[in-house]
Amino acid sequence: MRGEDEAKVGTARRIYQALKAQILDGTYGARDRLPSTRALAAEFGVSRTTVTVAYEQLLSEGYLESRQGARSRVAMLGGDETARPRQKPRPIAAERRPVAQARLSRFGQSLGEGPAWAPPVAAGLIADFRYGDLSGADFPDAAWRKAVTLALRRRPRRLAYDDPSGALPLRTALQPYLWRARGLRCDPGQIIIVNGSQQGLDLAARVLVDPGDRVAMEDPGYVMARRVFSAAGADVVAIAVDGEGLRTELLDNLDDARLAYVTPSHQFPLGGVLSARRRQALLSWARRTGAYVIEDDYDGEYRYDIQPIPPLQTMAEAENVIYLGTISKSLSPMLRLGYLVVPPSLQRAFAAAKQLVDRHSPSLEQEALAAMISSGAYERHIRRSRRSNGRRREALLAALAAELGDRVTISGADAGLHVAVWFNQLEKADESTLITKARERDIGLYPISPLYSAADAAHRPDRAGAVMGYASLDVPQIGQGVAALARLLAEWLD
Amino acid sequence: MRGEDEAKVGTARRIYQALKAQILDGTYGARDRLPSTRALAAEFGVSRTTVTVAYEQLLSEGYLESRQGARSRVAMLGGDETARPRQKPRPIAAERRPVAQARLSRFGQSLGEGPAWAPPVAAGLIADFRYGDLSGADFPDAAWRKAVTLALRRRPRRLAYDDPSGALPLRTALQPYLWRARGLRCDPGQIIIVNGSQQGLDLAARVLVDPGDRVAMEDPGYVMARRVFSAAGADVVAIAVDGEGLRTELLDNLDDARLAYVTPSHQFPLGGVLSARRRQALLSWARRTGAYVIEDDYDGEYRYDIQPIPPLQTMAEAENVIYLGTISKSLSPMLRLGYLVVPPSLQRAFAAAKQLVDRHSPSLEQEALAAMISSGAYERHIRRSRRSNGRRREALLAALAAELGDRVTISGADAGLHVAVWFNQLEKADESTLITKARERDIGLYPISPLYSAADAAHRPDRAGAVMGYASLDVPQIGQGVAALARLLAEWLD
């Protein structure tokens, strides 16, 4: 019996200490109601008496206030305590524990080299030309809501893990869509639904690349792809690009690569379209060496004055091609959906990897997207979105021509949601100054240098450059942003 | 000029060939309408004339039918062609391409060893005791729909990648929830939102374990955890469990492990609760050796006649503990949401790993869950769900006692959503026969042997065993399933 009583007191003390700490943290703010003794007793699996003991101690110490018949509230503590914002409790753990040195794997250590995530800063800027962001105004709210509502209505009798390759309705909707939109033919079994193209890249790196393997990568190229391959321990070989995309003749001496990463429809960031001759050369190289080719078709929906370019995957010799698509540019980067189309011989390995990594992508988004594609709403949205971005692109090109003229050289404007801009009067070394000066004038401008594997790459023009994304801006903002940039350059250089 | 005409003819031929192939595939079935020439022209960025050339060729060859003013439809082709179901086109790629031998990484090769995903078979069964599935009837449809609707209403002006650690509203809602529900104190910065606990395990393995490193793992234990560590190249050391959970004295000689994986609140699958003495021993070992401990609290919400057991993470010495929680057992495994609580010294590495792996978890589910927690609906649901599962558990235990009596020994019934059942009259070698016989009588019964690291483990009872999950079944089904099992055993053994 005595032991039981002691246990009760111990539990009450634990509840008391924990509640007190939460009040001091600000987790419970002044005047907040604490949970009822009944709820807390049920939650802790103890008697209400035990909770009441804890509450009474807090009352007697002045942390709580109580009126007859009402639930206890946190008292106004005065001084610093009440000034603490509710949502930002003190970092308790850091206080309680010594900040130990983390023991990380080589993968874990390699992550430290990348930049930390930063929230968008657009709010205070004249124009934020950050690439990858989309305008909320373009999002097809009504169609998406309808599709989500449809998906919510589906009530399975049993809730169980779904197919790691992805929800069948989505894969069977994507198969004809990919044909209509990109001329791409595949079996739904070849489609693997992933959480955005980032996960597609990571899966490919894990399934295909061992530490020390060589991976060919466009230079300049997509930083987050390079980081994935580097983190996998790959020896990333930078292959220069020019106006026709990857310079495939530079692959001739690369016999031992396991993988090449390319953006043939619209090279990121320079915008070249891989020529037919080079497409053949790339696939011949892959066939000869046994390397796989990841074709990242990240903005294949957006093309303006040019003919559509069928993906590499559609070519007869494409048995080693892994096609990667995303809805981050067509709908929203926050939905986290993308798709791989893999050769039949890789289906099993990619599905097993996806299962091991996170079982499958969330069913709700998958089913909503399937509904949107099947109803035609997705393609209607893409047509509308292509027109909006076409207007933005024209506004940007017109403003750059009118305001900056010969000061800049532009590449990659035929497709996609960004252009690469070279500043003819500024040397490479001036680039970071340009970015800083732009930010001081409330222009969000982003340097091109980080997209090169090495600052001293011979094929890198000795000029300052920027990647200017326009998909998140409205037309007047684009004009104002470019005008501000022009004023900056005029004052700086003239 | 001539080149342009040739290009047009080439494009028309390509469109013709592709449409024809899709008709033969069954992607477009008999009587289906093809897209309008205008839509297809817009999609391909060609003139309507070019599309019309393709359509006319298909008409002249009898693949299409056309009436004045109406869109072309696919003709009834007769014979095999029309018999093909629409949703299952032939695997084109497999025809076109030789099925090449895949070249996989060591990780990719190791995946082949796991079982392929199989859809649930519950439909035809008297009772499917598969662990991990939940009943659709328990899902809080109205509350979830309300939460999703709230989340959908949030319309950011700019669509951009969110914080890799997870949406701030969710992390700030989880922080007090974890305290209320599990007595767990942390700063929201320590919380990393993941796509279910599977991704939490995979991230931990990648960030903390190098190939060749030793990882201590409960034996028997959670297969998908063991597979994650093995795929990461770890040397997985099996540590026996008994009625008090992990036998921590067996860690004494293990000085070089980087990680231990444990389920202290409810050992999976045997159900022991790690005793206070062993908790101290485990944490002392971790502190002494510098190993991390992953505490998988996979079903911490479900406990019945016992006192709640605060997680390891709440102990003062827990600076090396990584806590892992999930909503797969409380809401649905198809939502793919879970959370890690990591020591402050690991925050940066886990957030960077999450960013590299898939940027962040989908915003919609995160914001919906945040809304559900903040409104109290999540905890109300858990209380309801705990009662439902308590009833199922009682039904299962009562049926097992009444129908099977001494034939079985049950463990792990105090908490969670499953029990481990040992069949006293059947040897280990009879287990697979038992499972097969059960399936022949439409009972979904799942063997315990795969959860052991080795078939000949000395600590493994020489009896047939099964893991019986009950969260997906209604009470009558449970009774019928156990009765059918009893008949099977009676006929087999008596």
Side-chain angles (χ1 to χ4, degrees):
Chain A
M1 281 297 123
R2 191 153 173 266
E4 252 180 57
D5 285 348
E6 267 179 13
K8 266 189 195 167
V9 170
T11 307
R13 190 182 304 126
R14 197 162 55 77
I15 293 174
Y16 151 77
Q17 284 170 335
L19 282 170
K20 180 173 156 185
Q22 294 280 106
I23 293 166
L24 292 174
D25 286 346
T27 304
Y28 289 109
R31 317 292 305 154
D32 277 0
R33 278 200 191 135
L34 289 197
S36 69
T37 50
R38 193 157 74 159
L40 215 59
E43 197 51 62
F44 277 75
V46 297
S47 70
R48 290 180 66 180
T49 323
T50 306
V51 176
T52 305
V53 168
Y55 274 24
E56 280 173 355
Q57 183 63 28
L58 291 165
L59 278 163
S60 73
E61 292 183 22
Y63 288 99
L64 296 186
E65 296 167 345
S66 167
R67 277 180 310 126
Q68 189 67 29
R71 284 212 321 240
S72 302
R73 287 173 183 273
V74 174
M76 302 287 286
L77 298 174
D80 285 341
E81 307 301 338
T82 49
R84 289 203 190 95
R86 267 207 75 180
Q87 295 290 34
K88 292 187 180 174
R90 280 184 296 169
I92 308 153
E95 274 171 33
R96 190 177 67 182
R97 299 166 181 175
V99 176
Q101 187 67 31
R103 273 182 77 190
L104 303 178
S105 65
R106 278 185 290 276
F107 173 88
Q109 287 163 29
S110 78
L111 297 170
E113 295 156 18
W117 174 83
V121 287
L125 300 181
I126 299 171
D128 188 351
F129 291 99
R130 188 162 83 156
Y131 173 72
D133 297 358
L134 302 183
S135 167
D138 285 9
F139 188 77
D141 267 312
W144 179 245
R145 200 172 308 187
K146 194 174 160 189
V148 169
T149 305
L150 258 174
L152 283 172
R153 233 176 257 157
R154 211 186 136 257
R155 299 193 194 179
R157 285 189 50 202
R158 200 179 177 94
L159 307 174
Y161 296 120
D162 197 4
D163 190 332
S165 300
L168 194 60
L170 178 54
R171 289 184 292 123
T172 48
L174 273 173
Q175 192 248 12
Y177 166 73
L178 286 171
W179 189 81
R180 291 193 301 272
R182 305 296 284 133
L184 189 155
R185 294 174 70 202
C186 67
D187 183 78
Q190 291 174 261
I191 300 176
I192 311 281
I193 305 298
V194 289
N195 306 333
S197 58
Q198 192 65 34
Q199 187 177 49
L201 292 171
D202 188 51
L203 283 183
R206 292 179 80 180
V207 168
L208 303 174
V209 177
D210 281 311
D213 281 347
R214 304 183 89 177
V215 170
M217 165 98 201
E218 295 171 338
D219 193 55
Y222 182 45
V223 174
M224 288 295 279
R226 196 191 304 130
R227 286 184 61 203
V228 161
F229 301 126
S230 296
D235 172 13
V236 181
V237 182
I239 310 284
V241 303
D242 62 18
E244 285 179 53
L246 190 79
R247 289 179 50 197
T248 46
E249 77 275 15
L250 300 174
L251 293 171
D252 284 349
N253 296 322
L254 189 65
D255 283 351
D256 57 350
R258 289 291 283 274
L259 197 65
Y261 170 84
V262 291
T263 51
S265 300
H266 186 227
Q267 201 276 326
F268 187 80
L270 296 187
V273 174
L274 196 64
S275 65
R277 195 177 46 79
R278 290 193 181 171
R279 283 167 192 253
Q280 292 289 356
L282 175 61
L283 295 184
S284 302
W285 169 81
R287 175 170 270 189
R288 179 170 63 76
T289 62
Y292 289 101
V293 175
I294 298 183
E295 172 175 35
D296 189 350
D297 196 29
Y298 63 103
D299 63 3
E301 294 83 5
Y302 298 100
R303 49 180 182 267
Y304 306 105
D305 306 329
I306 53 165
Q307 293 264 333
I309 312 104
L312 281 179
Q313 199 275 357
T314 64
M315 295 171 71
E317 307 82 355
E319 67 262 33
N320 285 4
V321 173
I322 295 160
Y323 176 88
L324 179 56
T326 179
I327 65 160
S328 292
K329 307 285 177 277
S330 59
L331 272 177
S332 166
M334 309 177 83
L335 296 176
R336 312 307 310 125
L337 276 182
Y339 38 90
L340 291 162
V341 181
V342 303
S345 56
L346 293 179
Q347 283 175 217
R348 172 99 171 79
F350 273 83
K354 175 69 180 165
Q355 185 183 32
L356 195 73
V357 157
D358 64 4
R359 297 273 191 179
H360 62 81
S361 291
S363 300
L364 183 61
E365 276 90 351
Q366 291 194 69
E367 283 164 13
L369 180 60
M372 247 187 108
I373 294 175
S374 302
S375 72
Y378 183 66
E379 278 153 286
R380 280 195 297 279
H381 163 67
I382 286 180
R383 283 195 289 273
R384 213 164 27 235
S385 182
R386 193 182 294 150
R387 284 194 298 274
S388 311
N389 284 306
R391 283 191 292 270
R392 293 183 179 112
R393 165 185 167 273
E394 275 168 37
L396 178 61
L397 295 178
L400 288 170
E403 303 271 359
L404 291 162
D406 290 344
R407 290 192 198 272
V408 292
T409 304
I410 291 153
S411 71
D414 291 338
L417 303 173
H418 76 279
V419 294
V421 177
W422 296 101
F423 294 84
N424 297 325
Q425 299 159 295
L426 294 171
E427 289 178 12
K428 186 169 70 179
D430 298 324
E431 195 176 277
S432 61
T433 310
L434 171 65
I435 303 300
T436 308
K437 280 181 184 284
R439 178 59 60 89
E440 285 165 7
R441 295 183 180 227
D442 295 327
I443 310 162
L445 194 67
Y446 298 84
I448 204 164
S449 290
L451 309 188
Y452 282 87
S453 64
D456 58 352
H459 56 276
R460 193 247 195 253
D462 185 24
R463 277 174 291 167
V467 176
M468 294 181 76
Y470 47 81
S472 67
L473 301 170
D474 58 31
V475 166
Q477 276 182 312
I478 291 171
Q480 288 153 17
V482 174
L485 189 59
R487 284 195 298 276
L488 183 170
L489 289 174
E491 290 171 28
W492 185 6
L493 300 170
D494 296 345
Chain B
M1 280 298 124
R2 188 148 175 270
E4 252 181 58
D5 285 346
E6 267 179 14
K8 266 188 193 165
V9 170
T11 307
R13 191 182 304 125
R14 197 162 56 76
I15 294 174
Y16 152 77
Q17 284 169 337
L19 282 171
K20 182 173 156 186
Q22 294 281 104
I23 292 166
L24 292 174
D25 287 347
T27 304
Y28 289 109
R31 318 293 304 155
D32 277 359
R33 277 199 192 135
L34 290 197
S36 69
T37 51
R38 194 159 73 160
L40 215 60
E43 198 50 65
F44 276 77
V46 297
S47 70
R48 288 180 67 179
T49 323
T50 306
V51 176
T52 305
V53 168
Y55 274 25
E56 280 173 354
Q57 183 64 29
L58 289 166
L59 277 164
S60 72
E61 292 183 23
Y63 288 98
L64 296 185
E65 295 167 345
S66 167
R67 276 180 311 127
Q68 190 67 29
R71 284 214 319 240
S72 302
R73 286 174 184 273
V74 175
M76 302 287 286
L77 296 175
D80 284 343
E81 307 302 338
T82 49
R84 292 205 186 93
R86 267 208 76 180
Q87 294 289 37
K88 293 189 179 171
R90 280 183 296 169
I92 307 153
E95 274 171 33
R96 191 178 66 181
R97 298 166 181 178
V99 176
Q101 188 65 33
R103 273 183 78 190
L104 303 178
S105 65
R106 279 184 291 276
F107 173 88
Q109 287 164 30
S110 78
L111 297 170
E113 295 155 20
W117 173 83
V121 286
L125 299 181
I126 299 171
D128 188 351
F129 291 100
R130 187 162 85 156
Y131 174 72
D133 298 356
L134 302 182
S135 167
D138 286 10
F139 188 78
D141 267 311
W144 179 246
R145 200 173 308 188
K146 195 173 160 190
V148 169
T149 305
L150 258 173
L152 283 172
R153 232 176 257 157
R154 209 186 138 256
R155 301 192 194 180
R157 285 190 50 203
R158 200 178 176 94
L159 307 173
Y161 296 120
D162 198 4
D163 190 332
S165 301
L168 194 59
L170 178 55
R171 289 185 291 123
T172 49
L174 273 174
Q175 191 249 13
Y177 165 75
L178 286 171
W179 188 81
R180 291 194 300 271
R182 305 296 283 133
L184 190 155
R185 294 174 71 203
C186 66
D187 183 78
Q190 291 175 259
I191 299 176
I192 312 281
I193 305 297
V194 288
N195 305 334
S197 58
Q198 192 65 34
Q199 188 178 48
L201 292 171
D202 187 51
L203 284 183
R206 293 181 79 180
V207 168
L208 303 174
V209 177
D210 280 312
D213 280 347
R214 304 183 89 179
V215 171
M217 166 98 203
E218 294 172 338
D219 193 55
Y222 181 46
V223 173
M224 289 294 280
R226 195 190 304 131
R227 287 184 61 203
V228 161
F229 301 126
S230 296
D235 172 14
V236 180
V237 182
I239 309 284
V241 302
D242 62 17
E244 285 180 54
L246 189 79
R247 288 180 52 197
T248 46
E249 77 275 15
L250 300 174
L251 292 172
D252 284 349
N253 297 321
L254 189 66
D255 283 350
D256 58 351
R258 288 292 282 274
L259 197 64
Y261 170 85
V262 290
T263 50
S265 300
H266 187 227
Q267 202 276 327
F268 186 80
L270 297 188
V273 175
L274 196 65
S275 65
R277 196 179 45 81
R278 290 194 182 171
R279 283 167 193 254
Q280 292 290 356
L282 175 62
L283 295 184
S284 301
W285 169 80
R287 178 171 268 190
R288 179 170 62 78
T289 62
Y292 288 102
V293 174
I294 299 183
E295 172 175 35
D296 188 350
D297 197 28
Y298 63 103
D299 63 5
E301 294 83 4
Y302 298 101
R303 49 181 183 265
Y304 305 105
D305 307 329
I306 53 166
Q307 293 265 333
I309 312 104
L312 282 179
Q313 201 274 356
T314 63
M315 296 171 70
E317 307 82 355
E319 67 262 33
N320 284 5
V321 173
I322 295 159
Y323 176 88
L324 177 57
T326 179
I327 64 160
S328 293
K329 306 285 177 276
S330 59
L331 272 177
S332 166
M334 309 177 83
L335 295 175
R336 313 307 309 124
L337 275 182
Y339 38 90
L340 291 162
V341 181
V342 302
S345 56
L346 293 179
Q347 283 177 216
R348 173 99 172 79
F350 273 84
K354 174 69 179 165
Q355 184 182 34
L356 195 72
V357 156
D358 64 5
R359 296 275 191 179
H360 61 80
S361 291
S363 301
L364 183 60
E365 276 90 352
Q366 291 194 70
E367 282 163 15
L369 179 60
M372 247 188 108
I373 295 175
S374 302
S375 72
Y378 183 65
E379 278 153 284
R380 279 195 298 278
H381 163 68
I382 285 180
R383 284 195 288 273
R384 214 166 25 236
S385 182
R386 194 182 293 149
R387 284 195 298 273
S388 311
N389 284 307
R391 283 192 292 270
R392 293 184 179 111
R393 165 185 167 272
E394 276 168 36
L396 178 61
L397 295 178
L400 287 170
E403 303 268 359
L404 291 163
D406 290 345
R407 290 191 198 273
V408 293
T409 303
I410 291 153
S411 72
D414 291 339
L417 303 173
H418 76 280
V419 294
V421 177
W422 297 101
F423 294 84
N424 297 324
Q425 299 159 293
L426 294 172
E427 290 178 11
K428 187 169 70 180
D430 298 323
E431 195 175 278
S432 62
T433 310
L434 171 66
I435 302 302
T436 308
K437 280 181 185 285
R439 180 58 61 88
E440 283 165 6
R441 295 182 179 228
D442 295 327
I443 310 162
L445 193 69
Y446 298 84
I448 203 164
S449 290
L451 309 188
Y452 282 88
S453 65
D456 58 352
H459 56 277
R460 193 242 194 260
D462 185 23
R463 278 175 290 167
V467 176
M468 295 181 74
Y470 48 80
S472 67
L473 301 171
D474 57 31
V475 166
Q477 278 182 311
I478 291 171
Q480 288 153 19
V482 173
L485 190 58
R487 283 195 299 276
L488 184 170
L489 289 174
E491 289 171 29
W492 184 7
L493 299 172
D494 297 344

